[in-house]
Amino acid sequence: MTVATVASRALAGIDAPEVSVEVHLGPGLPSFHIVGLPDTEVREARDRVRAALNHAHFEFPARRITVNLAPAELPKDSSRFDLPIALGILAASGQLSQQGLPGQEFAGELSLTGELRAVRGALAMALAARAAGRSFVLPEGNAPQAALAQGARILPARSLLEVVAHLAGEAQLEPYSGEVRSSAASYADFSEVKGQQQVKRALEVAAAGSHSVLMIGPPGTGKSMLAARFPGILPALSDAEALEVAAIHSVSAHGFDAVRWGERPYRAPHHSASAAALVGGGALPRPGEISLAHHGVLFLDELPEFDRDVLEALREPLESGRVSIARAARQAQFPARFQLVAAMNPCPCGHCGDRSGRCRCTPERIARYRGRISGPLADRIDIKLEVPPPREAELLAPISAECSAAVRERVEEARRLQIERQAKPNALLGSREIDRYCATDREGDQLLRHALARLLLSARAYHRVLRVARSIADLAGKAHIAAEHVAESIQYRRLDASF
Ligand SMILES: [Zn+2]
């Protein structure tokens, strides 16, 4: 037999489409060609495979070797194919029986001495192998992550020799049986932030309905402390959500650590971040911060300091919950259903409105500063609130605030009502759904009309008032939206006029 085919997988976004690694040994001068990869990567793959085979005392065939990675148009980062290419060469040259190959998939980078090194995207590949009904042989270091795909048959291996022994029926690889899912996530606690009762209340409303938030206040008022603790009051991730989060992180540059299973992501990119870092990119498209924040929190501190392009790039994903990245011929889609929590100073110096009166910013400078957040983006932020400096008494008081768990209990109950009623959080209600699910009583309706005229709210903002009012009513366990709920919701749009 001079031909062998080994099953493997590429990465496309967070999917892992199948790749057939076909190895053909032909007559002619000894050579080693790999079709379907960029030149530089081909050279590296050839060197690693040749060295690993030699080191393990296999014969490197003195034939014309052609490796074809099919289909040709798939993006492939090459090192994952080292193991299937090596196995294909051994099988095509008769050094390994082909009998064991069907029903199994392989991925892994080879060191020059034949050890297997972890590759990117193990979870995505394991999910796809599971769907195809095949076992998955991969480097030991990838096993904890791959095993998050419950029911997948994961066969970790340390070296090429172990895989060959397994396929030859000499020493079967043991299915991975380690600890798969760790216990619940732990976040820093809400109770550690003193005072700021109104801000905490607004964050509870935001958490209940998955609303985006902008906090405006001088430095040192606890804005970032509150943001970092926000994931802790959000409902626990469902298994399906946790799997999506893990799959996205598993294809990112830093990978996914299985001990973070079930944790809501919290991403806080610096304001110098580029649009590509935020929305994703690269020759082999990788997820950006907004996708790494999928099902979690994206915290943008000093919002006006971000590049305008960067902020504009957020608008579409904020509506659609996903992002498309096109780079050259390659395109990828990533989910990006994040909850935006943003913060900013009230003026360039940060002390506008301060009792000390040390702010010297002119009204024009302040307007220009706030103007950096475009109207359409500001419109998409459901809740805007002022975070005042804490009063001295609050700072001196012993910690007596509610802990995150207590707040989360109320949030979870409110969220449960939403899922039962409309199968989605309030922030995602479309305009027709708002007509259906956000009925106000007569008093509430009058208040709303009055506010609409007085605050010159856009139609979009009007819908946002109703969505937030719905969340407030849900927290109170009320089926209808009453005036008090509308009143609180309008409070959170009061700052609209300054954007
Ligand atoms: Zn100022």
Side-chain angles (χ1 to χ4, degrees):
M1 179 71 82
T2 54
V3 178
T5 303
V6 182
S8 188
R9 299 213 167 255
L11 277 183
I14 58 167
D15 297 324
E18 186 173 340
V19 170
S20 283
V21 180
E22 300 157 5
V23 179
H24 183 259
L25 303 186
L29 288 175
S31 61
F32 187 3
H33 295 286
I34 302 177
V35 184
L37 283 180
D39 279 351
T40 50
E41 298 188 27
V42 167
R43 205 175 312 128
E44 290 170 10
R46 272 192 324 217
D47 290 348
R48 288 191 303 264
V49 169
R50 192 196 303 266
L53 286 175
N54 285 334
H55 193 269
H57 300 295
F58 290 109
E59 183 204 336
F60 192 81
R63 312 274 295 274
R64 188 182 164 79
I65 305 172
T66 309
V67 176
N68 180 31
L69 304 178
E73 71 277 9
L74 273 176
K76 308 172 188 80
D77 39 351
S78 65
S79 67
R80 69 185 60 244
F81 300 116
D82 289 357
L83 175 63
I85 290 173
L87 294 174
I89 291 175
L90 291 176
S93 60
Q95 299 178 78
L96 174 67
S97 158
Q98 300 208 13
Q99 273 180 340
L101 290 174
Q104 307 196 53
E105 300 187 358
F106 306 84
E109 179 178 327
L110 286 171
S111 76
L112 299 179
T113 53
E115 266 87 51
L116 283 169
R117 288 186 181 144
V119 293
R120 208 159 64 87
L123 177 56
M125 292 192 289
L127 286 168
R130 181 183 73 180
R134 300 201 187 109
S135 304
F136 192 38
V137 178
L138 82 186
E140 195 177 39
N142 282 132
Q145 185 192 105
L148 292 172
Q150 278 183 332
R153 195 174 146 80
I154 304 301
L155 302 174
R158 277 172 300 204
S159 65
L160 173 63
L161 276 175
E162 278 193 11
V163 180
V164 171
H166 163 73
L167 288 171
E170 289 161 10
Q172 294 285 316
L173 293 171
E174 290 292 323
Y176 182 72
S177 61
E179 182 60 44
V180 173
R181 293 175 179 188
S182 66
S183 53
S186 63
Y187 310 94
D189 206 272
F190 237 37
S191 60
E192 293 162 4
V193 184
K194 295 180 183 180
Q196 303 295 16
Q197 282 317 307
Q198 281 175 329
V199 181
K200 287 182 176 176
R201 162 67 185 177
L203 290 176
E204 179 175 336
V205 172
S210 197
H211 303 286
S212 44
V213 188
L214 172 60
M215 296 184 275
I216 303 169
T221 49
K223 289 174 294 186
S224 25
M225 268 184 91
L226 286 161
R229 283 156 181 75
F230 187 70
I233 64 166
L234 291 172
L237 281 180
S238 71
D239 264 12
E241 289 171 331
L243 209 50
E244 280 181 45
V245 169
I248 294 171
H249 285 252
S250 86
V251 302
S252 73
H254 63 84
F256 177 73
D257 188 347
V259 303
R260 312 202 73 168
W261 171 262
E263 215 173 279
R264 288 222 181 239
Y266 173 78
R267 307 292 300 184
H270 189 253
H271 58 69
S272 62
S274 67
L278 221 70
V279 302
L284 293 161
R286 293 193 183 189
E289 291 292 335
I290 62 170
S291 294
L292 295 174
H294 182 58
H295 288 317
V297 175
L298 179 72
F299 178 53
L300 301 182
D301 200 5
E302 314 226 29
L303 191 64
E305 304 294 340
F306 280 81
D307 255 9
R308 213 179 167 104
D309 292 354
V310 171
L311 295 183
E312 289 302 302
L314 287 179
R315 276 168 54 182
E316 208 259 312
L318 268 175
E319 292 292 314
S320 68
R322 50 198 324 55
V323 62
S324 294
I325 304 158
R327 287 287 176 282
R330 286 164 185 175
Q331 217 200 343
Q333 271 221 345
F334 290 105
R337 179 67 70 205
F338 57 90
Q339 193 163 352
L340 176 65
V341 177
M344 62 184 281
N345 294 332
C347 66
C349 84
H351 300 289
C352 173
D354 195 306
R355 281 178 287 265
S356 68
R358 59 178 148 154
C359 171
R360 295 276 178 275
C361 302
T362 62
E364 294 77 32
R365 266 195 84 197
I366 294 175
R368 215 168 36 239
Y369 178 73
R370 297 193 176 187
R372 287 193 214 158
I373 300 155
S374 74
L377 176 64
D379 238 13
R380 280 171 172 81
I381 297 174
D382 293 354
I383 295 177
K384 300 190 190 72
L385 54 130
E386 277 169 300
V387 183
R391 279 184 286 271
E392 228 166 290
E394 286 179 339
L395 288 176
L396 294 173
I399 292 178
S400 62
E402 239 184 341
C403 64
S404 294
V407 182
R408 186 172 62 236
E409 221 169 279
R410 292 195 296 272
V411 166
E412 282 186 329
E413 177 57 17
R415 189 68 73 86
R416 192 184 60 75
L417 292 173
Q418 295 163 47
I419 302 302
E420 264 178 29
R421 183 175 60 228
Q422 68 222 10
K424 55 170 92 168
N426 292 331
L428 301 182
L429 289 175
S431 50
R432 222 172 293 156
E433 292 167 319
I434 289 175
D435 292 341
R436 187 155 163 217
Y437 300 118
C438 301
T440 47
D441 65 12
R442 212 169 57 89
E443 230 183 311
D445 190 54
Q446 278 175 350
L447 186 59
L448 201 52
R449 282 167 198 284
H450 181 67
L452 211 54
R454 191 167 49 91
L455 291 172
L456 298 170
L457 295 181
S458 67
R460 205 191 275 276
Y462 165 77
H463 280 141
R464 286 186 189 266
V465 168
L466 275 173
R467 285 193 197 102
V468 172
R470 181 67 268 173
S471 296
I472 295 165
D474 286 337
L475 277 171
K478 295 289 194 300
H480 288 281
I481 299 173
E484 61 189 287
H485 309 135
V486 174
E488 184 180 345
S489 180
I490 289 170
Q491 285 297 307
Y492 302 140
R493 307 273 345 163
R494 233 167 12 116
L495 292 166
D496 272 11
S498 57
F499 285 95

